[in-house]
Structure formats: structure tokens, C-alpha cells
Amino acid sequence: MPAATLTVAQLIQQADQLQSAGKVQQAADLYNDWLAVHGDDPQAAPVYFNYGILNKHNQPAIAKASYEKAQTLNPLLYQAAVNLGLMAEANGNDAQALQGWRQALSDQLPVEGQCMLLNHMGRLHEKLKCYPEAETALEQSLRLNPQQANAIQHYVGIRRRQCRWPSIPNWLCEARPGEDVALDIGPFMGMAELDTPERQRQAAQGFVERKRSPITPLPSVRWQHDKLRIGYFSVDFKLHAVSILMAEVLELHDRSRVQVYGLDYSDTTPSAMRQRVLKAFDHHVPLHALTDAQAAQRIRELEIDVLIDLTGLTTGSRFDVLAYRPAPVQASYLGYMGSSAIPGVDYILADRHLMPPELTQHFTEKPIYLNSYQANDRQRVIGTAPTRAECGLPAKAFVFCAFNNNYKFTPDIWATWMRILKRSPNSVLWVLEDNPQAKENLTANAKSHGIAANRLIFAGRVMPEQYLARYHCADLFLDTAPYGAGTTASDALWAGLPVLTCPGQTMVSRMAGSLLHAVGLPELVTDSAQAYENLAVQLATKPKKIQAIKQRLKAQRDSCDLFNTPKFVRNLEDALIETAEQVRNSPLPVTPNPQATAQHTPAAVRIFSIAWSDDTLKTAQASGYEVLDNRANLRPDWYEYWPIRNFLLNQTLDENTYYGFFSSKFADKTQLPAPEVFKFIQQASAKGANVVLFSPQPDQGAGFLNVFEQQEVYSPGFIATSEAFLKEMGLDLALRTMVMDSRNTVFSNYFVARPAFWREWLRFGEALFKMAEAGNTPLAQALGQATHYRGSAQIKVFLMERLASLLLALYPYHFKTAAANPWTMGWSMTRFRSFPQEMVISDALKMAIREHGFPEYTAAYAAIRQKIIQKV
């Protein structure tokens, strides 16, 4: 078939098939041939977009031109704007990317499109450390849809980095009443925001569930090697805290007992630290070019006995590799100080101060206990100590130091520090300046506590040697909570600065406490916020006491457990060998059957039967659905839109749940009992449908081109009014020629859908509501025109009932539908019911028209309809 005769759907389908078969050039030729004929038609916009995707890697100039043409032909094709911006960003043109996304924003876009553009703007602003701009963009996005967990994660993180408290603003909580919004902020910032191990684990589990891929683990294995094969799996083999701590451990592993593999997907930019770490491995295994499945297979081929994940859920994590279970023992260590909830990670390396027995119930991992949890490098160089004057510090004041990242600060810990300063008059607080906004907010907050700005000293970032040297100018390090200091605390201790901490319930709040026990200063581990505050003041006002502690730290630093790296390495190897032996001697678990494990998880479904009166309440209660009580019926002129509207505007929807709102006549009209409805929804969900239709009166759908033409017969002028409404919405549509079939036709609002569709439906519904309520405008009068339907229902009601069909016909690629067999449901009482075969054929022809567009199908449909009309 010549390319020019193909419909857009046919063209894209054939091109995709060619591309999947590796025939990329033939796919490109097919697009070119079609565009040569239809290239200026508005319908060519998605073709240009797909052609751009085809060329984005090998022909970026062609891809860019294709996206631009697609956007010109259809400004509402926001995906083209997104891709243009991403190309600009990849080429270093950040300002151009932001400008393009900003210009593409429009209220006429679907909510998902607006959110996508705003989220990209927020992401790029965050990357550029333009935090106020990033926060503004993400707030706009979340006000449109507050259920976006990924956007919340970045939004709250940005507020934390600026010390904008509360980190989760009231408006966001109010947008999701009854929900624990904080669980959506992700595992990393969750450690700073959430102060119980249970909630931290829940946040991690939610993140993993959102991000993970459906994976069937590799068959279980047990290896028997003369030397234990340890694989360190990390994105941080570079100048990073993990490598700073681990470098000497890697070098000191006993090669008569173990072989060390570096499973590397880190930034390959050369640095002295990266060079040192890679040199320490017996085998360096780059995984950058491999997919997660290939990386897991590579690890399996290496017969790794113990796989240690040094990344956890931090930036760059490839936790899907671990979900394949490529090694018999897989453990989390150092990179993420909490329960990661990563499938396949069965162990976590800890000590009993860090993870006491009562904490284990909140972890998906079992502890492998070490004497002291933290690795350390005794080769860290401390630079020449600066003077206090060079650091901007007063010469004779007591200097409290808090060099944790600003995002770890909380209103509570900051208030404690302000009280400490008040009670210690000749003291200052020395903190890092992560960004100008944080400095401004912290300074303002200090003033609100009665602390002058000159008692806060802000330090910029410097190289590691100079950073360590700075600690000589401080008197006491103050730890944060609930996200405490780990590497930063050991840095301070290595440089000779005592650390004061108050461990909480969570592992990440207990790091400094573990280090202080390992370094021999347990008296600096307090058991309450008040004890923490009191001890800080006591040390600041009794110089001899802090000097004595400093002398003890200096005397025992090199011999204590914390900095005895050879002893740590022996302890680590012993623990790993013992664990590997235990697993080796345990029975092999049954290898999951992919067919058995590929079962579809039942979808959550909430269907409401609307009660209008005491009689319909009884019907609703017996329906098998939840009851939506609308007996007050404050706006009967809006029929079912009023109760559905109130529910959608006032309830928080779960993104993975299907929602439906049926009238009391649903069972009579569809002939479907509730169990069959729920069963079909589960079948549709398993196939990926996000909108499920149960539309009766299939003859009314088949006998007309679309639902608007159908209503025009009963309410002359309906199409003109509908087109006027849609024009106000920015959609210039010719409804008389639009084709709908049973895959996108729904009467009586008998459908269930996930929230993404309901939000779009409500957006159109609220626009209709506003226009109908506008008073004496011509459109409001037309929408308020009474019909011959019982109760004199107004035109606006019938237009409202056709919004779902309109959206499904307009956006077939946005919403995947599944329709229950309409031909088994109730037919209309019109004479169309006398022509069952013709109706079925008519619907099939309309499907063919939508799919292929051949004029022969349109002619055949018109001929059948004309014969029916003549007989009627």
C-alpha cells in the first residue's frame, strides 16, 4: 500500500514494526514518503513527532526540525516541546530549554501536559541550583495535581535545601486530607523529615514500588570458592563520601581470603580518588553500558558470593539489578542508612549501637553485625590549619560547629541551637552555606529567636584537606536529628573535634552515637533533647572540660576501633565469610516460576451508586457498590454531575484506584451484576486499561457517527451549543464529522477510571459548569435550554454526559480503554433495536474508519444507515 494512502494510525504502526525489526531506514523512508504528501496537514503533527524520535540519536538536526514542525502544526502536542527542551538541555542550552517549556505552557493542555512541562522546568532549575525558581514551578505543578509523588519528592527537597520550614507546606497537606503526604518525599529526604523507622521504611517502600520494574529473579545458586568473592556495587567510585570512607578498606582486604570486585557504574571523570579506588580492586567491572538485566547476568557470570550495595536509594541507584538476585548474599552498606526495602537485598551491615535489636522489626533486611559499623581511611590528609580570623570567626568565642548539609536542619534542632546560643553568651554557630536562600532563611529564623545575625558564621565549601583543617578552629560539633552526621562526624573526630549527639529512633539518627562509642567518648551521647542542650551549654561555659575531652580524643584516636582500619577489615571479612557459609549450607529456595509470579496484582476499585431519594438509597445499598448519598440534591438541575463533582473536588484520589459513579438504573440498563463488573475491571486492569466502559444502548452508539450527532436528533441545536462550548475551551471541532465507536462511546457516565482521566473529565466539567452558571450570556442561555427529556433536563446535562466520550475520542493515545461487550446490555427503545446485525456492522465500520480512514468504509456505513432510515 502506498505510504500516502495510510492513515496516521496505520503509518505509525507500520513504522514502529519496521523499527522493531531493525529496519530503521525503511521506517524513515516510510515517514518521508507520507510527509511529502501530507506534511502540512494538522494531522501530520504526531507523525513529525514520531519521526523526530526515530532520528534523535543519529540525526539530531532532523529530529529538532521534526519536533518544531510538530509543535507548529499542533501547539497542544506538548511532548514535542518537552523533547525540544531536552535536546537543548543536552547541548548545554539550559536557558533555551527553560524558555521553550515556558512558552509551551497553556491552560488548554491536559493537566498531565502542564505538569510534565512544569516538572521539567523544576528539575532543570534544581539542577542549576536556582532553588526559588524550581520551587515555584513544582508548586504550580502540584497545585494542578497534588498526587505526584516524584514532584513532591523534589519540591520538599528543594524547600529543605533552602531551610524553608515547614518543608511540607499546609496547602499541600490540605490538598490531600487524611493522607501522610510526607511518605511521598522519598527515602533520602525522608531521613531528614521522618523521625520514626516505620515511616522511613514506608517512604522507602513507596519509592521502590513507584520506580521498580517487574522482574523475575535469576535462579538461586550457591558458589563454592577457595576465596570469598566480594562484589562492591556502586555509583560512587569517585570523590564521594562513600569512596572517602572505603578506599583503605578496599586496599587492606586480605587477598588470601577474598577477591575484590568493583562493580562500577560511577561517573568516569578522572580524579585521584577514583584512580585510587579502582586500583584497589582485583577486578574492575564497568557496568555503564549494560542494561540492568545484562548487569545482573554479568554479576552472575562472575560468581560473586557476596554483593555489597554501596548506593542504596541515593542518587543514581540501579536497584533493579539487585532485584534480579545475581548473588546468593546481597547486603546494603554505608550509602543508605536505613531500610531500603529493595527486593533481593536481604542483609544490612551495622553495629549494635546503630541498629539495636528493637530496630530490626522495622527493616526488610537482617543485620550482619560488625564491632563498629563505619569504615574509615587513615590516609586522609588534614591541611594546614587556618586561623580563626581567616575563617571569619571571633578569636575568643566558643565556636559551635554544625557542618552537616543544610537540608538536615529542622525547626526543632535549630530552635535548640538558638537556645544554646542564648544560654552561652560568648559563643557563635558556624554552619555551611549551601545556598543564599538557606543563609537568608536561617538568619531570619535566628533573629526571630532573638539571636543576632553576627552570631551565625557561614562557611563556603573547600577541598577535603582544607575542610578537615577547619575543624581545628571549632570547639564542639553539634549533630542534627533525625538525619544525623555520618561521614561528617567521623571527619570531625579524625580532625580532633568532639561531637555532641542525641540519637533518635532511626538508624540514620544513631550514626554519630555509634562513632562516639567506637572512639571512646560515650559521654557525648545524650538521651534527650534537653540533655543535649544542657551538655552543650555546660561544655561552652566550662572550657577546661571541653579541652580535656579534646586531649582524650587526640590521645586515643589512632588506637580506637573507629580508626583501626586493619581491625575493621578483618572483622568485616569474618562477618561476610560467616554469612556466606550460612547461606551456602542452607537449602536452595524454590526458583520462582515466571508464569506463576507474573500474576496480576488485583486493582483497587471504588464504585459508588448514587442515591437521590430514600427509594434509590435502598437500591444503592443493595447494588454491591458503595453509596454516594445525594438525597439533599442541592442542584437537581445538574443531575449526577453535582454529586460526582463534589466527590472529586473534596476527596483525595489514590492514583492506582479505579473510581466509578453509577446511577440507580445501572443494573437495569446494563444487565450487569456487581461481581461481573468488578471481574471485568480486573481483566481490563491486567491489560493496562485506565478507563473501563460499561455503556448500554449500543444501537444508539452505532447508529450515529458520534454521541453529539445522536443527541442532535433529540435536541436540535445541541451540536452548535457543544461546539460553542468547546471553542471557549480552545478546541475548534467539527462535531458532525467526528467518528466514535464502542471503544470510546459511553452513555450515562457508566465508566470507571483512574484519577488521571477523572482530572481531565473534571477540568472540562468545571469549565462547563462555570460557563453554564455565567448568567445571561448567550452560551449560558443555550446550555440552560430545557429538553423534552423527563424533568426538562437542560442541554448542559447531556453535554456533561458526553464529556467522557469526547475525551476518549480526542486523546486515544493518552487513555487506554477497555469496553465491556455493549451488545449484551440493554438497547434503546428506538427502532434501531430492530436491526441488530446492521448495528453491529455499523460499529465495526466506524472502527475501521477510525483506524484506516478508507472512504469505502465511510460510504458503506452511510449506505447501511440510509437503508435503516428508509425502513424506519
Side-chain angles (χ1 to χ4, degrees):
M1 182 184 299
T5 64
L6 298 174
T7 65
V8 170
Q10 286 177 308
L11 174 69
I12 292 174
Q13 182 180 19
Q14 289 191 22
D16 285 346
Q17 290 171 348
L18 289 170
Q19 192 174 358
S20 299
K23 301 177 181 179
V24 177
Q25 187 55 52
Q26 288 179 247
D29 292 342
L30 184 67
Y31 279 132
N32 276 321
D33 290 346
W34 190 93
L35 289 169
V37 177
H38 304 289
D40 291 325
D41 294 346
Q43 66 172 339
V47 178
Y48 278 110
F49 177 73
N50 278 37
Y51 186 51
I53 293 175
L54 186 68
N55 285 284
K56 67 179 180 179
H57 294 302
N58 299 323
Q59 300 284 342
I62 293 176
K64 181 174 181 289
S66 299
Y67 294 144
E68 289 171 343
K69 183 69 172 179
Q71 196 176 17
T72 299
L73 291 174
N74 182 4
L76 299 184
L77 188 64
Y78 60 87
Q79 295 92 335
V82 168
N83 284 12
L84 279 169
L86 291 174
M87 289 186 74
E89 181 185 355
N91 290 326
N93 297 323
D94 296 329
Q96 181 182 336
L98 291 166
Q99 182 182 8
W101 292 330
R102 196 176 298 112
Q103 290 176 344
L105 269 178
S106 165
D107 291 341
Q108 296 177 18
L109 292 176
V111 168
E112 278 66 30
Q114 295 180 56
C115 289
M116 184 179 290
L117 290 164
L118 287 165
N119 291 346
H120 275 295
M121 291 167 62
R123 176 191 58 76
L124 183 49
H125 278 306
E126 181 183 13
K127 174 181 158 186
L128 298 173
K129 300 190 186 304
C130 299
Y131 295 132
E133 293 84 354
E135 181 185 349
T136 298
L138 292 174
E139 179 171 331
Q140 285 181 260
S141 175
L142 287 167
R143 285 187 182 275
L144 289 169
N145 175 13
Q147 294 290 339
Q148 302 175 86
N150 290 339
I152 288 174
Q153 179 181 333
H154 287 271
Y155 175 68
V156 174
I158 288 164
R159 287 180 64 87
R160 290 202 67 89
R161 292 183 194 282
Q162 299 175 91
C163 298
R164 276 176 52 76
W165 304 321
S167 308
I168 304 174
N170 292 335
W171 70 262
L172 184 54
C173 297
E174 290 167 0
R176 294 174 57 175
E179 293 188 63
D180 192 348
V181 179
L183 295 183
D184 277 351
I185 67 179
F188 188 65
M189 286 296 172
M191 290 195 289
E193 187 76 27
L194 308 173
D195 59 3
T196 67
E198 179 69 13
R199 294 179 77 214
Q200 286 191 2
R201 194 201 71 240
Q202 289 172 345
Q205 286 177 319
F207 176 84
V208 170
E209 286 303 312
R210 292 194 298 272
K211 300 291 186 179
R212 65 176 294 196
S213 305
I215 285 171
T216 300
L218 297 170
S220 299
V221 293
R222 299 286 187 266
W223 306 120
Q224 183 71 51
H225 302 121
D226 293 336
K227 299 177 183 179
L228 188 75
R229 298 185 182 182
I230 304 173
Y232 290 102
F233 179 62
S234 182
V235 71
D236 295 320
F237 295 142
K238 56 187 179 182
L239 185 57
H240 183 276
V242 167
S243 287
I244 289 171
L245 293 177
M246 285 295 297
E248 190 176 15
V249 172
L250 301 174
E251 293 165 341
L252 292 181
H253 268 306
D254 184 350
R255 266 51 183 190
S256 69
R257 307 177 80 197
V258 303
Q259 284 188 328
V260 183
Y261 292 74
L263 307 169
D264 176 20
Y265 57 104
S266 315
D267 181 359
T268 58
T269 302
S271 69
M273 178 56 70
R274 178 167 173 78
Q275 183 179 5
R276 181 183 172 193
V277 168
L278 297 191
K279 185 179 178 182
F281 294 128
D282 299 317
H283 307 278
H284 174 226
V285 185
L287 301 175
H288 307 78
L290 304 183
T291 65
D292 290 342
Q294 291 169 336
Q297 189 59 47
R298 179 74 179 113
I299 295 168
R300 173 59 60 88
E301 292 167 357
L302 294 170
E303 298 186 4
I304 300 298
D305 293 300
V306 178
L307 180 59
I308 297 179
D309 176 33
L310 295 172
T311 305
L313 298 178
T314 57
T315 303
S317 172
R318 292 181 65 178
F319 58 76
D320 274 349
V321 174
L322 300 161
Y324 282 101
R325 292 184 177 268
V329 176
Q330 301 189 160
S332 173
Y333 179 54
L334 213 57
Y336 182 76
M337 301 305 296
S339 181
S340 69
I342 297 173
V345 178
D346 300 318
Y347 299 94
I348 185 167
L349 295 168
D351 63 40
R352 294 181 188 276
H353 294 292
L354 185 73
M355 189 178 180
E358 60 268 23
L359 204 56
T360 58
Q361 63 180 311
H362 303 294
F363 278 65
T364 60
E365 306 89 346
K366 301 173 187 174
I368 298 176
Y369 281 125
L370 305 174
N371 295 335
S372 174
Y373 93 90
Q374 194 187 72
N376 266 288
D377 175 20
R378 298 168 301 167
Q379 299 178 33
R380 280 180 292 174
V381 176
I382 300 175
T384 303
T387 64
R388 282 195 167 188
E390 289 171 333
C391 295
L393 296 167
K396 299 195 181 214
F398 188 94
V399 177
F400 292 107
C401 170
F403 278 177
N404 275 341
N405 287 301
N406 294 168
Y407 63 75
K408 294 186 180 184
F409 297 175
T410 66
D412 288 344
I413 197 66
W414 189 257
T416 298
W417 293 348
M418 296 304 100
R419 289 194 298 273
I420 290 170
L421 290 179
K422 268 190 176 181
R423 295 175 60 190
S424 311
N426 187 33
S427 66
V428 295
L429 178 62
W430 195 17
V431 297
L432 284 177
E433 181 185 343
D434 277 344
N435 56 80
Q437 292 76 35
K439 179 179 180 180
E440 180 180 341
N441 290 327
L442 291 173
T443 302
N445 196 285
K447 288 180 180 177
S448 73
H449 285 277
I451 299 299
N454 63 3
R455 297 189 67 189
L456 299 182
I457 313 298
F458 290 90
R461 294 186 179 272
V462 292
M463 292 303 293
E465 293 84 356
Q466 286 72 46
Y467 153 72
L468 289 172
R470 277 178 173 172
Y471 283 115
H472 289 290
C473 296
D475 293 302
L476 181 66
F477 184 103
L478 295 177
D479 195 17
T480 46
Y483 195 159
T487 306
T488 312
S490 65
D491 289 341
L493 294 169
W494 178 249
L497 180 65
V499 174
L500 178 65
T501 190
C502 179
Q505 300 178 54
T506 63
M507 173 184 276
V508 77
S509 72
R510 304 178 66 83
M511 294 188 293
S514 168
L515 303 183
L516 286 164
H517 279 91
V519 85
L521 296 175
E523 68 270 29
L524 295 179
V525 183
T526 61
D527 59 5
S528 69
Q530 190 61 56
Y532 172 95
E533 179 183 331
N534 290 342
L535 185 52
V537 174
Q538 184 183 122
L539 293 172
T541 54
K542 295 184 179 179
K544 289 183 180 179
K545 189 166 185 178
I546 193 67
Q547 287 304 319
I549 293 174
K550 284 187 175 183
Q551 287 302 319
R552 280 175 54 206
L553 175 58
K554 181 178 180 181
Q556 61 202 35
R557 188 195 75 166
D558 293 340
S559 59
C560 68
D561 283 349
L562 181 59
F563 298 118
N564 189 339
T565 307
K567 180 180 177 180
F568 173 87
V569 174
R570 298 296 83 76
N571 178 223
L572 173 64
E573 290 174 353
D574 289 344
L576 297 181
I577 289 170
E578 180 182 354
T579 304
E581 188 67 23
Q582 290 172 354
V583 172
R584 188 181 299 119
N585 294 331
S586 65
L588 274 172
V590 177
T591 301
N593 181 336
Q595 280 69 41
T597 58
Q599 299 295 321
H600 171 68
T601 301
V605 182
R606 295 190 68 186
I607 299 176
F608 296 83
S609 181
I610 303 173
W612 307 92
S613 62
D614 290 341
D615 286 338
T616 55
L617 176 63
K618 294 177 183 178
T619 303
Q621 290 170 335
S623 66
Y625 309 119
E626 296 181 61
V627 175
L628 186 59
D629 192 346
N630 189 52
R631 286 177 294 171
N633 208 10
L634 299 178
R635 291 297 302 269
D637 57 317
W638 278 100
Y639 284 66
E640 67 262 35
Y641 184 72
W642 188 251
I644 297 174
R645 172 185 190 262
N646 287 337
F647 184 94
L648 295 178
L649 289 175
N650 295 296
Q651 299 294 320
T652 300
L653 304 189
D654 177 74
E655 291 300 294
N656 295 314
T657 297
Y658 291 89
Y659 294 86
F661 306 88
F662 297 162
S663 73
S664 58
K665 298 178 181 178
F666 176 82
D668 291 336
K669 287 187 175 183
T670 64
Q671 310 299 309
L672 290 174
E676 288 188 31
V677 170
F678 286 113
K679 180 180 178 181
F680 185 79
I681 293 170
Q682 296 300 335
Q683 294 170 346
S685 174
K687 297 176 182 177
N690 43 36
V691 183
V692 187
L693 312 182
F694 301 93
S695 183
Q697 302 185 357
D699 53 329
Q700 289 288 288
F704 299 94
L705 276 177
N706 60 62
V707 296
F708 294 90
E709 185 190 48
Q710 179 262 351
Q711 186 60 34
E712 178 76 12
V713 171
Y714 305 104
S715 305
F718 179 75
I719 285 181
T721 300
S722 299
E723 287 180 343
F725 158 72
L726 292 171
K727 195 162 188 178
E728 289 293 320
M729 291 287 293
L731 295 170
D732 194 2
L733 300 177
L735 294 180
R736 292 185 185 277
T737 58
M738 178 179 284
V739 178
M740 299 177 182
D741 58 62
S742 57
R743 296 170 301 179
N744 43 48
T745 295
V746 55
F747 290 108
S748 305
N749 282 324
Y750 288 171
F751 68 92
V752 300
R754 285 192 163 127
F757 182 81
W758 279 114
R759 279 192 293 273
E760 201 60 15
W761 183 88
L762 185 63
R763 184 168 78 92
F764 274 71
E766 283 301 89
L768 175 61
F769 183 84
K770 182 178 179 181
M771 293 178 202
E773 300 284 303
N776 293 323
T777 67
L779 180 54
Q781 291 176 354
L783 290 169
Q785 185 71 37
T787 67
H788 296 297
Y789 189 79
R790 56 181 176 274
S792 301
Q794 298 174 3
I795 289 294
K796 65 188 182 187
V797 175
F798 294 95
L799 179 48
M800 175 270 298
E801 288 189 340
R802 281 152 180 78
L803 292 180
S805 300
L806 175 70
L807 292 171
L808 294 175
L810 281 179
Y811 306 120
Y813 301 112
H814 285 74
F815 305 110
K816 184 175 181 180
T817 64
N821 186 353
W823 308 106
T824 62
M825 300 184 197
W827 288 44
S828 73
M829 299 307 295
T830 67
R831 294 184 182 181
F832 277 145
R833 63 186 293 118
S834 303
F835 304 91
Q837 286 189 330
E838 288 84 350
M839 291 296 98
V840 172
I841 293 170
S842 294
D843 186 55
L845 285 169
K846 290 205 293 178
M847 290 183 184
I849 293 168
R850 281 184 63 87
E851 288 295 320
H852 305 293
F854 300 156
E856 290 81 1
Y857 291 136
T858 304
Y861 175 83
I864 290 175
R865 192 163 73 159
Q866 186 60 35
K867 287 180 182 179
I868 293 173
I869 291 173
Q870 289 173 352
K871 291 180 181 180
V872 169

